[in-house]
């Protein structure tokens, strides 16, 4: 079995385990390359018939290409799509110009909290990877969160072999991370091999491309000539620039991410 | 077949230099994003310290302030030979469960010992645990050689102490290397500072390790994970732990002993005629038969042991002790049953290997034991030394994982 097949198989096992143990689960789809790859593997795990909803947390500030992609493929793949928006905060005019931390927190974390309590989800599948950001290297595959989303990263349960934790207190929920062991390069190699459709913002136009996409307001493109998946793979094989270097919230200070995450940010 | 990725865990007593060594490996293999080193310099300065390579892996604010690793971190680097995933495990006794979490993912281990401080409690305990978990490729590095002026006699003295312990475990380390993580000595290539050492540098030693890919020669073991109903058909799904499965094959389900025939092997929009260890597949049985989650699919003439009594080596990691005859939950492959520790034959200090008590009443936190378990219903198991996936188990009480073990005898 080749390396990518190994990664894929581990991910399938975790997805199926999460569904078996919790039933009331949902997957978060940001429409970025990682969660689109996860969605691809989720479709494989359930033979094309995903038995749970796919949730998009919509801040309303996403790139238009993201919305177009979402609508096209949620139809083509027959997804049960839930769009999670904090309408109240949006009506109050929450935006990055008035404070990025607060904007991320109300439009993503708070929106997600509301949707979880509305649907009473016990587990959420997320496409985070260990190599993405320092603090994420500490994540478990099955990670319990308290009712108010707190991640107790100083005292996490042990996780041995593929015997994942499967019971939690009533008021807790789980974050499930089936892509934890993939790297950015693995993702692109897999996208190339499987021909997974991907938002075209990742491909270079006029010497610039996005390496990580989120809100149009807070993402900057990086210099790049990679206008095909093949060239992205080549580019990443040699780069020493961090993936999220185009992301505003990572630059604020070294511990912003840690603070955001302990508040429940993805 | 040589794998192109190797997962290694770095273990050892707190402060012996694990995080520094990982920082060094990242630095010397050019695996650091440009801005990371300057970020680390800045944080070190903010905390009033010299540049600490350890900060590259110690990500939590608390870890940097207290200068200890709390939870495992995984990082990636590559050499010309292959890609590596390194798992940095905490060396503090308080965080052993995090170290074990890292260890169950690793294929090889680097055990680090500070030559100045010598062999300590967690040095030996980590050695015991990685050995119990079946990691047989172990490299011993003796760190901080710079502090003792690269003195051979001092190195030999500490090395021999540790080797005595390894002998009692019955383990032979793959390599023994004197290094300085901080100064980058004997990391990428043999350094002139230690001219008396003639062996490979750490990266050369790692590159030379050969890890056998999963063998397909073992008998078929496929624990049923779930059953889906899709387009009116019942599909069983699961991961093949060992062996191969073929369309048309006669199989037996354990522990129920039901017989069945494989009608088809399915993937999304695909069918297969056979599948092998590591693959997650869907199965349809002849006449629409189904098995429940927990059953093990095996060849008719070569099925697992079915038993309700087995002996295992267990490591206990909970404040709440394991008590004789008190019901707990046992999980092995996809099976989950109630069981009791019928007899705690030996209670063992997991750092010194000293037998503390025979026929003990309970096993306390960080103790190891040889235990006879009795399950409420028979389960399908294997010796860990034969098929790892079916010979390892965890013990849970209420909501929590409290112990981990391996099966040494399937019938007693
Ligand atoms: N002199 C010297 N100091 C070292 C060496 N390796 C690590 N240290 C120091 O030992 C301390 C503990 O190192 P750290 O990597 O945090 O240990 P860990 O607890 O095992 O991760 C730090 O202050 C390091 O700078 C070495 O090779 N030589």
């Amino acid at each position: 079995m080749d390396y990518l097949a190994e990664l894929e198989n581990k991910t399938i096992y975790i997805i199926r385990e999460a569904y078996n143990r919790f039933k009331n689960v949902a997957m978060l789809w940001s429409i970025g390359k990682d969660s689109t790859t996860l969605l691809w593997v989720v479709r494989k795990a359930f033979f094309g018939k995903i038995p749970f909803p796919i949730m998009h947390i919509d801040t309303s500030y996403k790139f238009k290409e993201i919305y177009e992609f979402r609508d096209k493929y949620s139809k083509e793949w027959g997804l049960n799509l839930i769009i999670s928006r904090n309408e109240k905060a949006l009506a109050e005019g929450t935006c990055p110009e008035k404070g990025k931390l607060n904007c991320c927190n109300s439009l993503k974390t708070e929106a997600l909290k509301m949707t979880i309590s509305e649907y009473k989800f016990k587990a959420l599948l997320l496409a985070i990877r260990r190599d993405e950001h320092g603090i994420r290297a500490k994540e478990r595959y099955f990670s319990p969160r308290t009712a108010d989303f707190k991640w107790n990263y100083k005292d996490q349960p042990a996780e041995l072999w593929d015997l994942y934790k499967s019971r939690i207190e009533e008021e807790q929920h789980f974050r499930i991370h089936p892509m934890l062991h993939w790297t950015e390069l693995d993702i692109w190699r897999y996208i190339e091999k499987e021909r997974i459709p991907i938002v075209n913002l990742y491909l270079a136009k006029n010497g610039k491309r996005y390496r990580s996409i989120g809100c149009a307001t807070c993402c900057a493109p990086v210099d790049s000539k990679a206008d095909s998946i093949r060239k992205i793979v080549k580019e990443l094989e040699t780069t020493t620039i961090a993936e999220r270097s185009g992301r505003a919230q990572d630059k604020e200070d070294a511990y912003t991410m840690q603070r955001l995450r302990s508040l429940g940010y993805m | 077949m040589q794998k192109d990725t190797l997962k290694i865990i770095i273990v050892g007593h707190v402060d012996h230099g694990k995080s520094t060594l990982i920082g060094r490996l990242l630095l010397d293999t050019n695996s650091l994003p440009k801005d990371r080193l300057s970020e680390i310099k800045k944080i070190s300065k903010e905390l009033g310290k010299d540049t600490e390579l350890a900060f590259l892996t110690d990500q939590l604010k608390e870890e940097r302030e207290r200068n200890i690793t709390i939870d495992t971190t995984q990082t990636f680097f590559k050499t010309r030979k292959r890609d590596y995933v390194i798992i940095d495990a905490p060396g503090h006794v308080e965080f052993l469960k995090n170290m074990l979490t890292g260890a169950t993912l690793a294929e090889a281990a680097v055990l680090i010992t500070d030559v100045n401080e010598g062999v300590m409690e967690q040095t030996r305990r980590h050695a015991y645990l990685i050995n119990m978990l079946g990691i047989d490729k172990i490299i011993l590095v003796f760190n901080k050689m710079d502090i003792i002026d690269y003195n051979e006699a001092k190195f030999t003295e500490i090395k021999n102490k540790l080797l005595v312990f390894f002998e009692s475990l019955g383990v032979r380390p793959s390599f023994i290397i004197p290094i300085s993580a901080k100064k980058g000595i004997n990391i990428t290539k043999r350094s002139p500072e230690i001219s008396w050492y003639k062996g490979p540098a750490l990266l050369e030693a790692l590159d030379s390790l050969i890890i056998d890919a999963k063998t397909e020669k073992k008998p078929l073991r496929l624990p049923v994970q779930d059953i889906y109903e899709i387009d009116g058909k019942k599909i069983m799904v699961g991961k093949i732990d060992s062996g191969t499965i073929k369309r048309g094959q006669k199989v037996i389900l354990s522990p129920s002993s039901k017989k069945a025939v494989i009608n088809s092997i399915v993937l999304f929009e695909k069918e297969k005629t056979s599948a092998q260890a590591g693959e997650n597949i869907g199965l349809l049985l002849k006449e629409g038969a189904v098995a429940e989650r927990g059953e093990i699919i095996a060849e008719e003439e070569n099925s697992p042991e079915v038993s309700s009594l087995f002996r295992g080596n267990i490591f206990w990691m909970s404040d709440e002790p394991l008590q004789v005859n008190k019901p707990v939950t046992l999980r092995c492959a996809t099976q989950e049953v109630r069981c009791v520790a019928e007899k705690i034959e030996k209670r063992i200090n997991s750092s010194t290997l000293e037998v503390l008590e025979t026929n003990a009443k309970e096993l306390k936190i960080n103790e190891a034991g040889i235990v006879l378990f009795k399950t409420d219903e028979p389960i399908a198991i294997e010796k860990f030394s034969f098929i790892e996936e079916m010979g390892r188990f965890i013990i849970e009480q209420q909501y929590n994982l409290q112990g981990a073990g391996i099966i040494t005898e399937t019938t007693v």
Side-chain angles (χ1 to χ4, degrees):
Chain A
M1 194 185 294
D2 75 17
Y3 180 59
L4 289 175
E6 243 176 68
L7 297 178
E8 180 198 77
N9 271 287
K10 179 158 188 158
T11 299
I12 290 179
Y13 189 84
I14 292 165
I15 294 165
R16 287 178 173 161
E17 201 63 9
Y19 177 62
N20 177 276
R21 308 311 273 186
F22 302 109
K23 290 292 180 293
N24 197 8
V25 304
M27 187 201 120
L28 291 196
W29 186 29
S30 74
I31 337 287
K33 64 186 192 312
D34 301 316
S35 60
T36 302
T37 302
L38 173 59
L39 183 54
W40 186 263
V41 184
V42 167
R43 290 176 68 231
K44 287 194 179 191
F46 300 104
F47 307 93
K49 301 252 157 44
I50 306 174
F52 47 77
I54 305 297
M55 194 198 303
H56 179 224
I57 301 179
D58 181 13
T59 60
S60 82
Y61 298 115
K62 303 280 169 189
F63 292 96
K64 79 169 193 317
E65 289 87 344
I66 292 185
Y67 294 109
E68 288 166 6
F69 188 93
R70 178 190 76 189
D71 296 340
K72 174 164 187 237
Y73 286 98
S74 69
K75 208 160 146 204
E76 193 169 321
W77 292 338
L79 307 179
N80 171 9
L81 187 73
I82 293 179
I83 293 169
S84 164
R85 274 166 73 113
N86 187 344
E87 297 292 357
K88 186 162 166 284
L90 284 170
E92 286 162 3
T94 305
C95 64
E97 292 77 27
K98 295 189 193 161
K100 287 192 173 117
L101 196 77
N102 178 53
C103 186
C104 270
N105 195 45
S106 19
L107 298 186
K108 293 182 183 171
T109 311
E110 288 305 319
L112 177 61
K113 271 185 196 172
M114 293 189 281
T115 310
I116 290 187
S117 68
E118 187 184 338
Y119 290 87
K120 308 212 161 39
F121 291 125
K122 283 312 279 176
L124 290 178
L125 272 61
L126 271 82
I128 64 162
R129 309 185 325 264
R130 281 198 185 103
D131 75 325
E132 216 176 314
H133 190 282
I135 188 75
R136 295 201 166 168
K138 304 269 185 204
E139 280 283 10
R140 302 279 197 266
Y141 286 104
F142 281 54
S143 177
R145 303 292 153 114
T146 61
D148 57 353
F149 272 37
K150 288 264 157 46
W151 176 35
N152 189 357
Y153 48 72
K154 277 177 277 178
D155 187 21
Q156 303 195 68
E159 185 164 82
L160 305 185
W161 303 295
D162 45 16
L163 298 167
Y164 303 106
K165 185 172 165 77
S166 58
R167 280 195 202 80
I168 36 170
E169 318 273 350
E170 218 9 71
E171 61 280 9
Q172 289 181 311
H173 76 274
F174 265 96
R175 297 277 173 90
I176 315 279
H177 304 132
M179 311 291 293
L180 208 50
H181 52 293
W182 297 59
T183 64
E184 186 187 11
L185 190 52
D186 296 334
I187 294 276
W188 284 112
R189 285 178 176 152
Y190 185 75
I191 288 172
E192 185 184 24
K193 176 180 155 212
E194 298 273 315
R195 300 167 182 270
I196 303 174
I198 221 78
V199 179
N200 62 16
L201 293 167
Y202 287 109
L203 302 176
K205 234 188 274 164
N206 307 325
K208 296 219 176 263
R209 74 175 193 90
Y210 290 87
R211 246 178 105 182
S212 165
I213 58 171
C215 295
T217 41
C218 295
C219 282
V222 294
D223 291 333
S224 169
K225 290 196 183 67
D227 56 5
S228 69
I229 308 288
R230 183 86 278 267
K231 287 184 194 162
I232 292 177
V233 170
K234 277 264 167 306
E235 178 187 280
L236 290 176
E237 280 169 347
T238 51
T239 189
T240 56
I241 294 168
E243 174 181 8
R244 295 176 68 99
S245 59
R247 289 261 193 154
Q249 83 256 51
D250 291 12
K251 284 189 178 158
E252 312 251 306
D253 79 74
Y255 298 111
T256 308
M257 264 312 259
Q258 190 169 333
R259 233 184 308 140
L260 270 172
R261 278 186 77 67
S262 70
L263 288 171
Y265 180 71
M266 296 71 67
Chain B
M1 192 191 79
Q2 181 81 35
K3 281 178 63 174
D4 50 8
T5 301
L6 185 67
K7 299 186 204 78
I8 53 171
I9 185 164
I10 311 227
V11 292
H13 198 79
V14 65
D15 266 352
H16 283 201
K18 291 178 298 297
S19 305
T20 307
L21 176 59
I22 293 169
R24 169 58 60 191
L25 289 169
L26 296 179
L27 201 63
D28 288 3
T29 54
N30 288 320
S31 308
L32 283 180
K34 250 187 228 153
D35 45 356
R36 282 299 295 287
L37 197 61
S38 47
E39 181 197 332
I40 294 306
K41 282 188 177 147
K42 182 173 152 242
I43 295 168
S44 302
K45 216 167 143 197
E46 277 169 18
L47 295 174
K49 294 181 184 175
D50 288 345
T51 300
E52 272 286 358
L53 283 180
F55 284 2
L56 287 167
T57 50
D58 288 344
Q59 290 291 343
L60 300 174
K61 196 166 190 168
E62 294 78 0
E63 292 183 325
R64 286 168 178 167
E65 281 165 1
R66 288 173 64 193
N67 227 348
I68 56 166
T69 308
I70 292 174
D71 206 338
T72 50
T73 307
Q74 292 192 30
T75 34
F76 304 79
F77 74 93
K78 51 172 157 264
T79 62
R80 229 172 267 142
K81 172 96 185 280
R82 63 179 155 214
D83 292 352
Y84 287 88
V85 178
I86 3 179
I87 305 161
D88 176 23
H92 206 282
V93 63
E94 215 186 308
F95 307 121
L96 270 170
K97 65 178 174 136
N98 298 339
M99 177 262 163
L100 279 173
T101 297
T104 63
L105 297 170
E107 298 160 299
V110 173
L111 175 64
I112 190 166
T113 307
D114 178 341
V115 274
N116 207 34
E117 200 175 31
V119 177
M120 300 292 285
E121 186 186 344
Q122 306 315 319
T123 317
R124 289 187 304 257
R125 184 172 279 130
H126 286 183
Y128 165 78
L129 287 170
I130 52 181
N131 177 51
M132 176 187 117
L133 295 173
I135 301 173
D136 56 357
K137 301 281 187 295
I138 303 175
I139 297 179
L140 306 184
V141 296
F142 291 86
N143 189 32
K144 308 196 188 181
M145 287 297 296
D146 54 304
I147 300 185
I148 58 160
D149 252 343
Y150 309 105
N151 181 306
E152 185 175 8
K154 179 86 200 251
F155 161 78
T156 308
E157 179 200 326
I158 305 288
K159 177 192 84 174
N160 287 341
K161 269 196 193 140
L162 190 54
L163 285 181
V164 170
F165 185 75
F166 268 80
E167 245 163 60
S168 65
L169 286 175
V171 178
R172 272 186 63 180
S174 305
F175 294 95
I176 300 169
I177 313 173
I179 65 163
S180 165
K182 194 169 187 165
K183 303 255 180 300
I185 304 293
N186 280 348
I187 303 295
T188 50
K189 55 181 194 301
R190 198 153 64 209
S191 305
E193 282 82 353
I194 312 186
S195 56
W196 47 263
Y197 173 73
K198 304 290 182 224
L202 178 57
L203 279 168
E204 295 167 332
L206 283 170
D207 276 350
S208 75
L209 291 180
I210 295 169
I211 307 290
D212 313 317
K214 243 189 179 6
T215 153
E216 274 100 52
K217 289 203 192 82
K218 290 193 174 165
L220 170 67
R221 298 289 181 263
L222 196 175
V224 176
Q225 188 181 13
D226 209 342
I227 296 110
Y228 302 146
E229 200 170 321
I230 291 172
D231 300 331
K233 282 189 208 133
K234 293 220 158 119
I235 303 182
M236 298 185 305
V237 297
K239 174 174 98 259
I240 305 175
D241 278 340
S242 64
T244 52
I245 193 164
K246 293 188 187 71
R247 187 162 68 197
Q249 186 177 6
K250 288 185 182 160
V251 294
I252 188 160
L253 306 170
S254 303
S256 73
S257 301
K258 277 190 232 152
K259 290 184 180 175
V261 178
I262 305 296
N263 201 26
S264 51
I265 302 171
V266 294
L267 302 176
F268 179 35
E269 293 175 338
K270 248 199 290 211
E271 279 208 33
K272 298 191 89 177
T273 51
S274 73
Q276 61 189 26
E279 287 187 66
N280 283 269
I281 54 170
L283 286 178
L284 291 141
L285 299 180
K286 281 248 162 76
E287 284 144 25
V290 281
E292 282 170 37
R293 175 180 165 101
E295 293 241 57
I296 312 294
I297 298 174
E299 292 143 27
E300 211 174 2
E301 59 288 352
N302 195 344
S303 58
E305 294 287 342
V306 173
S307 169
S308 50
L309 205 56
F310 70 88
R311 184 175 282 118
N313 292 341
I314 182 162
F315 178 72
W316 199 250
M317 54 185 120
S318 165
D319 288 324
E320 196 181 336
L322 172 70
Q323 290 170 323
V324 164
N325 287 326
K326 183 180 169 206
V328 291
T329 302
L330 174 118
R331 292 174 58 194
C332 173
T334 52
Q335 305 172 97
E336 184 170 333
V337 288
R338 300 285 284 167
C339 80
V340 293
E342 192 169 71
K343 211 167 169 187
I344 300 177
E345 297 177 331
K346 283 183 184 160
R347 182 164 74 86
I348 299 165
N349 176 319
S350 62
S351 176
T352 61
L353 301 190
E354 182 195 349
V355 176
L356 302 170
E357 195 180 357
T358 52
N359 268 326
K361 289 239 164 353
E362 56 180 39
L363 212 56
K364 293 196 198 61
I365 186 161
N366 297 336
E367 289 177 344
I370 297 176
V371 179
L372 212 56
F373 283 100
K374 188 173 187 336
T375 56
D376 279 6
E377 297 146 46
I379 54 169
I381 49 177
E382 297 289 0
K383 280 186 189 174
F384 181 77
S385 57
F386 181 43
I387 297 174
E388 287 193 11
E389 287 82 354
M390 297 214 35
R392 59 200 189 192
F393 62 92
I394 57 173
I395 299 291
E396 292 179 340
Q397 282 191 76
Q398 275 107 34
Y399 296 109
N400 302 312
L401 192 169
Q402 301 191 321
I406 59 163
I407 296 167
T408 52
E409 274 157 279
T410 52
T411 43
V412 277

